[in-house]
Amino acid sequence: MSLIVRFDACPICGSSDLAPSFVYDTPPEGETKFDFGETPYQRFYRVCERCGHFSSNSDMDLSALYDGAYVDATYSDADGIRRTFEKIIGLPSERSDNTGRVACIEAFRSTHSAWDGKEAPSCLDVGSGLAVFPYAMRLTGWRCTALDPDQRAAEHARSVAGVEAITADFLEAEPGSLGRHDLVSFNKVLEHVVDPIDMLRRTHSCLAPDGVVYVELPDGEGAADDGPGREEFFIEHHHVFSLASLALLAVAAGFRVLSLERIREPSTKFTLRAFLEAAPDQQ
Ligand SMILES: [Zn+2]
């Protein structure tokens, strides 16, 4: 099934005031090479004049992004997954995005009174990939479940990272089949789906009472100043967010923002991160 993605209006706020932004007729350096058949490489972003959200448009068949080639390139074999995992967890803390992420969540946990006295809160990590995040969360006392559509990633999460793992596509999983968790995390996941509002809205069914969602997204406002070659604008990202569009995404999906922050990560990524809770009418 082919997948052509174009947005005539801002997919987050609905505004039709979209200004031209970066245009690509060759892949930027460092981008994964996908097979788009005969269709020439051509894509462009537009930026919403109202909320600052970047949306990606192309006539290329983007189903190639999801047909397994992407995962194959990332996880060539079980040893390859393990080597990459070990390389990342071996990074000194000042160079590790993951260490910063876990520290941020631990800082939140220490101030979030609804979690006072919770011995081992549970976390569902959606799109866990190499499972470096659930692994590090487990070491700080969380019960973690890694969710990934790729069987190899789930097996790796179980056997190497030592966490529970579920092989499933979050968008296709039965509501309720993923358990209910104190924290559900989306670490650079929602920019990869065509409809991030729909994906985030589905999270309500796997949140415990007082549950919180942690979201990390690429920061288009920060990255755009560095030009079109930034990885935040690679082809896998249908969406690149602004502070405003992340907040509007949360509201549209039935959440309210507890905190929202712009950071520059050790890897140099421009990133937005937020903690969300269900809006009162969703609880
Ligand atoms: Zn907008």
Side-chain angles (χ1 to χ4, degrees), residues 3 14 38-39 45-46 55 89 102 106 118 122 144 162 176 178 199 228 239 242 250 255 257 259 275:
L3 176 68
E38 300 292 302
T39 317
Y45 281 95
R46 289 190 290 190
S55 47
I89 60 165
V102 174
E106 283 297 287
K118 251 185 210 301
S122 75
C144 274
L178 303 174
M199 189 170 197
H239 306 275
S242 66
F255 289 92
V257 177
S259 75
F275 290 91

Side-chain angles (χ1 to χ4, degrees), residues 10-15 17-18 48-53 245 248:
C10 174
I12 304 299
C13 80
S15 170
D17 293 332
L18 304 179
C48 176
E49 305 249 37
R50 189 197 211 177
C51 78
H53 188 78
S245 75
L248 289 167

Side-chain angles (χ1 to χ4, degrees), residues 130-148:
L130 289 165
V132 292
F133 172 68
Y135 168 81
M137 289 285 278
R138 175 172 71 80
L139 296 185
T140 55
W142 288 76
R143 284 176 295 127
C144 274
T145 303
L147 177 73
D148 200 280

